[in-house]
């Protein structure tokens, strides 16, 4: 089996980008180790700090953010970084070629119940000159690479550099990511949906109607029975969708009037949209492709509907 570094060499990916991807995935190996030790390493539980989004930070949110930041600081290809756990963008190397956006530990409410969590990352090109927040505000179409590392029963890397999606599995003894699933594609049809049903009464009519029709099953307009899954970690739900199809959505809701969307564009929605499109799926807000959005700020949130092409397109008809 090909190691991740062999894969990078043999697929002719830019040497600097390869270096950065190895920096990110090496750091994820350390995160995997910290997550695996859990209570034994005293890393579980909350801190008294909040992030810029007003969420209480878990110890592991901060530990994993510091691990990634440390690794990226030591990589000369990196000009700047933006993280879910950093209020502002961070300058790294003046002459670096890349900007990295990341969610160091997605699904962190799963940490204390020993359930799925992961690291999500997106790589954008950097321009010459001073680094500002503006430097990061590029549409997802500019992404040079995107991926996640899922810390589950196995630690797995999903990655795209714009020519398909591959999965690598971390070998626990050798510490190498090995190519286990080449050219991942999402089946166009599915009978599985993922949504937080407890928010139903807060959704827009389009999503209310769409989900109502799924639940009617083989006696409704869709004429088939659907099953529901919700991992409460986007990284876990998207991994299932990439692995066997499905539709995953965190739609617009009016639960909190000043916060109509949950997921973050730059380090959650865009990298996942890049993976999903590269695996022949569709990733939309309900109204436009996620990767076509021109970002206004680094911590901006968006509605997300992604997954199996025919099913997402079906959902979009309700929004039209
Ligand atoms: O990062 C936000 C996030 O934790 C996602 O990973 C996940 O899909 C979602 O929020 C879970 O939301 P909820 O708490 O509504 O289930
Ligand atoms: Mn997250």
């Amino acid at each position: 089996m090909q190691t991740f570094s062999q894969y990078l060499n043999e697929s002719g990916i830019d040497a600097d980008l390869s270096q950065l991807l190895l920096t990110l995935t090496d750091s994820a190996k350390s995160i995997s180790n910290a997550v695996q030790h859990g209570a034994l390493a005293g890393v579980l539980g909350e801190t008294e700090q909040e992030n810029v989004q007003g969420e209480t930070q878990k110890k592991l949110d901060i530990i994993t953010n510091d691990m990634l930041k440390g690794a990226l600081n030591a990589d000369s290809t990196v000009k700047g970084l933006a993280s879910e756990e950093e209020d502002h963008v961070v300058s790294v190397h003046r002459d670096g070629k890349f900007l990295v956006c990341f969610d160091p530990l997605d699904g962190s409410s799963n940490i204390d119940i020993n359930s799925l969590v992961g690291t999500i990352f997106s790589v954008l090109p950097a321009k010459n000159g001073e680094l500002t927040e503006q430097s990061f505000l590029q549409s997802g179409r500019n992404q040079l690479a995107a991926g996640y590392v899922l810390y589950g029963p196995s630690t797995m890397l999903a990655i795209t550099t714009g020519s398909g999606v591959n999965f690598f599995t971390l070998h626990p003894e050798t510490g190498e990511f090995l190519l286990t699933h080449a050219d991942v594609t999402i089946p166009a049809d599915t009978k599985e949906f993922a949504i937080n049903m407890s928010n139903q009464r807060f959704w827009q009519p389009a999503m209310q109607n769409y989900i109502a029709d799924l639940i009617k099953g083989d006696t409704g307009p869709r004429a088939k029975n659907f099953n529901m899954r919700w991992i409460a970690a986007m990284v876990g739900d998207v991994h299932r969708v990439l692995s066997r199809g499905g539709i995953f959505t965190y739609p617009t809701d009016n639960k909190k009037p000043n916060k109509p969307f949950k997921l973050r564009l730059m380090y959650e929605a865009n990298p996942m949209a890049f993976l999903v499109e590269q695996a022949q799926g569709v990733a939309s807000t309900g109204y436009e492709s996620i990767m076509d959005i021109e970002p206004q700020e680094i911590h901006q949130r968006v509605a997300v509907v992604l997954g199996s092409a025919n099913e997402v397109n079906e959902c979009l008809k309700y929004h039209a």
Side-chain angles (χ1 to χ4, degrees):
M1 268 183 246
Q2 232 177 359
T3 66
F4 184 49
S5 55
Q6 283 166 347
Y7 163 82
L8 291 169
N9 275 331
E10 286 167 30
S11 45
I13 291 164
D14 170 81
D16 290 329
L17 183 57
S18 295
Q19 177 184 319
L20 171 58
L21 294 176
L22 288 171
T23 297
L24 285 165
T25 52
D26 282 348
S27 187
K29 290 178 194 173
S30 309
I31 294 175
S32 178
N33 190 48
V35 168
Q36 249 166 26
H37 281 81
L40 300 175
V43 293
L44 304 188
E46 297 197 331
T47 66
E48 280 169 11
Q49 298 174 51
E50 280 189 354
N51 65 15
V52 69
Q53 348 250 342
E55 299 159 342
T56 304
Q57 290 173 306
K58 303 266 182 188
K59 283 188 200 163
L60 267 175
D61 285 325
I62 295 176
I63 294 169
T64 55
N65 187 58
D66 288 348
M67 287 166 98
L68 278 161
K69 234 171 100 176
L72 292 171
N73 260 304
D75 186 325
S76 60
T77 70
V78 182
K79 177 144 184 151
L81 61 89
S83 161
E84 177 173 327
E85 307 303 338
E86 297 284 333
D87 296 4
H88 304 290
V89 303
V90 177
S91 286
V92 182
H93 297 283
R94 225 194 123 66
D95 299 323
K97 283 167 67 169
F98 306 116
L99 305 177
V100 184
C101 302
F102 59 89
D103 178 352
L105 204 62
D106 178 58
S108 54
S109 73
N110 277 352
I111 291 169
D112 295 336
I113 58 165
N114 195 24
S115 193
L116 288 184
V117 288
T119 299
I120 310 173
F121 57 87
S122 159
V123 180
L124 291 163
K127 294 206 181 78
N128 291 335
E130 201 198 332
L131 184 95
T132 62
E133 174 166 342
Q134 190 62 37
S135 322
F136 286 79
L137 303 181
Q138 310 179 33
S139 97
R141 299 271 168 225
N142 280 9
Q143 290 175 102
L144 300 170
Y148 60 77
V149 177
L150 178 68
Y151 312 110
S154 308
T155 293
M156 288 184 72
L157 163 69
I159 184 108
T160 184
T161 53
S163 47
V165 175
N166 291 298
F167 289 169
F168 296 79
T169 304
L170 183 63
H171 191 294
E173 277 80 44
T174 65
E176 294 280 4
F177 277 110
L178 300 177
L179 179 62
T180 46
H181 304 67
D183 300 321
V184 172
T185 54
I186 303 175
D189 292 298
T190 183
K191 293 179 171 183
E192 216 159 42
F193 69 95
I195 191 165
N196 184 341
M197 282 297 297
S198 69
N199 293 327
Q200 184 175 22
R201 67 191 184 285
F202 302 111
W203 304 332
Q204 296 177 325
M207 192 54 78
Q208 298 265 6
N209 295 335
Y210 169 68
I211 297 291
D213 283 350
L214 298 190
I215 291 172
K216 285 177 196 147
D218 59 7
T219 56
R222 300 301 308 281
K224 59 178 180 178
N225 292 327
F226 282 80
N227 197 7
M228 200 198 85
R229 289 285 182 269
W230 188 250
I231 290 175
M234 185 192 202
V235 68
D237 280 307
V238 170
H239 188 69
R240 185 188 58 258
V241 166
L242 286 168
S243 300
R244 68 176 187 209
I247 181 167
F248 163 84
T249 176
Y250 213 114
T252 311
D253 67 46
N254 61 11
K255 197 172 177 179
K256 293 182 189 152
N258 58 348
K259 191 187 147 193
F261 318 119
K262 170 104 187 214
L263 300 174
R264 272 60 55 109
L265 175 63
M266 302 301 292
Y267 38 81
E268 293 180 324
N270 265 340
M272 294 312 201
F274 193 18
L275 287 164
V276 165
E277 285 197 9
Q278 284 294 317
Q280 292 166 35
V282 175
S284 170
T285 62
Y287 302 97
E288 65 177 318
S289 285
I290 286 171
M291 287 200 289
D292 288 337
I293 297 172
E294 294 296 337
Q296 305 297 310
E297 53 132 346
I298 50 159
H299 295 297
Q300 138 179 16
R301 296 171 189 263
V302 279
V304 172
V305 185
L306 62 76
S308 292
N310 293 343
E311 194 54 47
V312 175
N313 287 330
E314 195 62 43
C315 178
L316 299 186
K317 286 185 200 159
Y318 288 73
H319 290 76

